[in-house]
Amino acid sequence: MNVYDSELIAIRLAATGYQQTPRLEKADLVILNTCTIRAKAEQKAFSFLGRLARLKKKKPGLIVGVGGCVAQQEGAEILKRVPHLDLVFGTQAIDRLPALISKIEAKRCRIVDVSMSENPDLVDAAPADPDHYAVSRFVTIMRGCDNFCTYCVVPYVRGRETSRDPDNIVKEIKFFVDSGVKEVTLLGQNVNSYGKKEGLLSFTELLARVQAIEGLLRIRFTTSHPKDFDQDLIDAFQENDKLCNHIHLPVQSGSNQVLKRMNRKYTKELYLDKVTKLRDTCPEIAITSDMIVGFPGESDADFDETLALMKKVEFDGLFAFMYSDRPNAPATRFKAKISESQKSERLQILLELQETYTKKKNVALIGSIQPIIAEGISKKQSSGSLDQPDQAVQWTGRTSTNKIVNFYHGDISGSSSNIFPGKMVQVKIDKAYAHSLWGKPVEIESTAEGLKGEKSYAA
Ligand code: SAM
Ligand code: SF4
């Protein structure tokens, strides 16, 4: 969500004549887009803002702005805490950014704009520079959240749940596809409730419209709330061949007592039942989840139930967090807080258990051929390890199940490569690590019997 918002901010600033620079000291304007979901993210934001003091001293004309959830939460308080800050703008103020910046340029004043509306005008992405589009893009389909999980700050800093108009979503995706994008990830805090409040299309109807976009190869989405995850969406995985074979279904805890106090509105039995139904229909589907350890009052027995649920589901991947108190979130006032050392101990146990499943799922793919959209040259271009052919380029992409796959192909000059970003490549997996897979590109051929064979690409 924040990546998408940062892009929107960049688009709005480009429209007012600002260009991006990779060098902070060259900038005339610095905007920090912040997250406050956990205390650590907020601390990082303040520490970065603090470091900008020296730059502002050297360059008094520099405009420094802070947006996103920390801005929404703290408002004018940040101006007091950060004397060199010029602008605080909230999560619904992105569209007003050009006007706010112009005012600061003209009057050298300090501004706070964190006003929120019950029915915000949802900003539609007016794409900026198609040359910089990657193969895969995020597309926000809804903003805010109405679920009020007791640990979560989102409803307070992002406002009420609001869905974007489906025509605008489809128009935006078509524009991206015309610019070379092959895969989109539809974003919302609870995509299952897309359009319900506004009486728009349902989420699965929206998926069908996105599926019909010519040239788009893959669709992903996040996040699905287990309480609203239903048979319609399970059927969509079967019917919609562009929909990737992966679902992120955050469970948060395996204890009913904790789930109730989290206000998640499902039980572990309901969650497990939905997972079973999903796997009955889509046996190959990858399931990932979020888990919070150390929620107030979480006993050893509650934590054991979380481990038991993990053993039953065997998630493909897990994002695990230590609970942290957040402003306005009701759980902040809950008693029986768990100590930091106990949270950290539980997190370690949980991560170690998860590592075994992540590795197991990856190892199971060795020998299989996976369709990958080549996304680009891997950031970690390694030198001579892992059977790297001389001068070969290290490519990266993801399986339909969202596992990272690296492979070597072509050479650095690009002269012998028939792979390019956006190309669908069949990769035979030959190595599995904890968080990635390695393979070799192969060509799939039809044989006389109509069966599919394979041969290696000329690299
Ligand atoms: N809407 C999604 C859902 O319902 O699962 C989650 C969105 S939230 C931005 C991402 C994750 O952050 C949550 O799933 C939760 O695991 C974690 N999280 C949120 N608030 C937290 C807190 N106060 N302490 C620790 N983790 C938290
Ligand atoms: Fe936060 Fe719960 Fe909404 Fe997810 S569903 S954003 S965890 S309140």
Side-chain angles (χ1 to χ4, degrees):
M1 198 72 79
N2 267 26
V3 173
Y4 186 85
D5 281 354
S6 296
E7 285 173 357
L8 279 182
I9 291 171
I11 288 166
R12 297 294 177 267
L13 293 177
T16 59
Y18 281 97
Q19 287 171 350
Q20 285 191 49
T21 167
R23 300 194 33 208
L24 191 59
E25 63 283 6
K26 289 251 174 205
D28 300 307
L29 167 72
V30 177
I31 298 288
L32 179 65
N33 189 24
T34 57
C35 167
T36 183
I37 197 78
R38 284 170 292 279
K40 215 170 171 182
E42 188 178 328
Q43 284 152 13
K44 269 194 193 163
F46 277 108
S47 132
F48 179 80
L49 282 175
R51 290 203 300 277
L52 289 178
R54 218 178 314 146
L55 192 60
K56 179 97 173 187
K57 212 170 186 180
K58 269 201 221 152
K59 223 175 159 179
L62 176 74
I63 298 175
V64 179
V66 61
C69 297
V70 175
Q72 190 65 54
Q73 181 183 287
E74 302 294 322
E77 282 303 304
I78 316 185
L79 288 188
K80 285 190 208 150
R81 193 166 157 184
V82 186
H84 52 278
L85 191 63
D86 303 288
L87 171 65
V88 179
F89 64 102
T91 51
Q92 291 181 9
I94 295 178
D95 236 13
R96 299 189 288 274
L97 199 50
L100 297 171
I101 304 271
S102 301
K103 200 164 165 191
I104 296 173
E105 284 169 344
K107 300 193 172 161
R108 302 311 307 182
C109 53
R110 303 176 88 196
I111 301 180
V112 177
D113 180 349
V114 289
S115 59
M116 274 184 132
S117 144
E118 281 284 314
N119 300 301
D121 284 340
L122 288 190
V123 280
D124 287 325
D129 180 359
D131 287 349
H132 288 105
Y133 287 163
V135 165
S136 178
R137 295 280 302 193
F138 292 117
V139 175
T140 290
I141 61 165
M142 56 208 294
R143 291 180 172 270
C145 183
D146 286 348
N147 288 306
F148 292 93
C149 302
T150 54
Y151 51 81
C152 186
V153 77
V154 169
Y156 309 96
V157 292
R158 293 254 168 202
R160 295 289 70 74
E161 182 186 285
T162 323
S163 299
R164 277 180 72 193
D165 182 273
D167 290 340
N168 287 344
I169 295 171
V170 169
K171 201 166 86 189
E172 181 179 328
I173 298 175
K174 278 187 177 156
F175 182 91
F176 287 150
V177 171
D178 289 345
S179 316
V181 167
K182 302 288 180 201
E183 173 186 285
V184 287
T185 304
L186 308 179
L187 298 176
Q189 296 297 351
N190 178 11
V191 293
N192 304 78
S193 59
Y194 172 81
K196 280 189 185 156
K197 250 164 78 171
E198 295 83 357
L200 302 168
L201 304 179
S202 69
F203 180 56
T204 48
E205 286 166 339
L206 177 70
L207 281 176
R209 283 199 56 189
V210 176
Q211 146 100 5
I213 297 174
E214 238 172 86
L216 181 69
L217 299 182
R218 281 181 170 176
I219 306 167
R220 300 182 189 275
F221 63 84
T222 195
T223 300
S224 184
H225 194 305
K227 79 178 165 64
D228 296 320
F229 174 73
D230 58 12
Q231 192 60 41
D232 260 13
L233 192 49
I234 296 180
D235 294 341
F237 277 106
Q238 272 208 316
E239 288 156 13
N240 188 323
D241 57 20
K242 292 182 184 174
L243 194 55
C244 286
N245 220 3
H246 167 229
I247 188 159
H248 187 63
L249 201 57
V251 61
Q252 314 295 359
S253 169
S255 152
N256 285 340
Q257 184 279 121
V258 173
L259 287 171
K260 192 158 196 298
R261 284 155 43 80
M262 285 178 164
N263 193 31
R264 289 293 286 178
K265 301 191 183 91
Y266 54 84
T267 58
K268 72 171 173 205
E269 290 79 12
L270 194 78
Y271 185 88
L272 289 170
D273 183 53
K274 291 191 180 194
V275 166
T276 306
K277 286 195 175 115
L278 177 61
R279 284 192 170 143
D280 282 348
T281 311
C282 319
E284 304 290 313
I285 198 155
I287 305 178
T288 55
S289 197
D290 289 350
M291 206 73 92
I292 296 178
V293 296
F295 186 76
E298 183 190 64
S299 64
D300 284 343
D302 292 323
F303 180 62
D304 285 345
E305 288 194 62
T306 292
L307 298 179
L309 181 134
M310 286 172 64
K311 287 174 190 162
K312 280 201 177 114
V313 180
E314 301 197 356
F315 293 110
D316 289 70
L318 191 69
F319 296 98
F321 309 104
M322 295 201 288
Y323 166 81
S324 62
D325 280 344
R326 304 310 299 127
N328 296 316
T332 299
R333 298 185 295 276
F334 289 3
K335 302 267 182 305
K337 292 277 156 57
I338 308 298
S339 70
E340 290 303 305
S341 63
Q342 188 150 29
K343 281 191 233 173
S344 154
E345 199 179 303
R346 286 181 182 167
L347 184 69
Q348 207 46 44
I349 294 170
L350 189 142
L351 290 176
E352 272 169 29
L353 177 63
Q354 181 53 41
E355 196 84 359
T356 60
Y357 299 127
T358 310
K359 185 87 198 279
K360 180 175 157 187
K361 303 264 172 176
N362 284 354
V363 167
L365 293 179
I366 293 178
S368 69
I369 294 174
Q370 298 290 325
I372 307 296
I373 299 180
E375 284 180 21
I377 292 168
S378 168
K379 281 185 203 140
K380 283 195 248 152
Q381 174 80 33
S382 55
S383 47
S385 62
L386 290 154
D387 315 323
Q388 180 181 12
D390 271 357
Q391 299 287 300
V393 173
Q394 181 179 317
W395 285 85
T396 188
R398 278 170 302 152
T399 61
S400 171
T401 51
N402 209 29
K403 296 179 197 304
I404 294 171
V405 177
N406 296 304
F407 58 94
Y408 290 121
H409 182 73
D411 65 31
I412 286 162
S413 71
S415 57
S416 68
S417 182
N418 50 1
I419 293 180
F420 48 85
K423 183 178 164 101
M424 186 72 92
V425 184
Q426 305 293 330
V427 178
K428 184 165 186 181
I429 306 301
D430 54 18
K431 288 190 178 77
Y433 297 95
H435 300 288
S436 64
L437 300 160
W438 275 83
K440 288 191 181 70
V442 292
E443 271 175 18
I444 305 290
E445 285 188 319
S446 296
T447 62
E449 294 79 36
L451 297 171
K452 284 174 177 175
E454 71 181 80
K455 66 179 189 186
S456 289
Y457 261 113

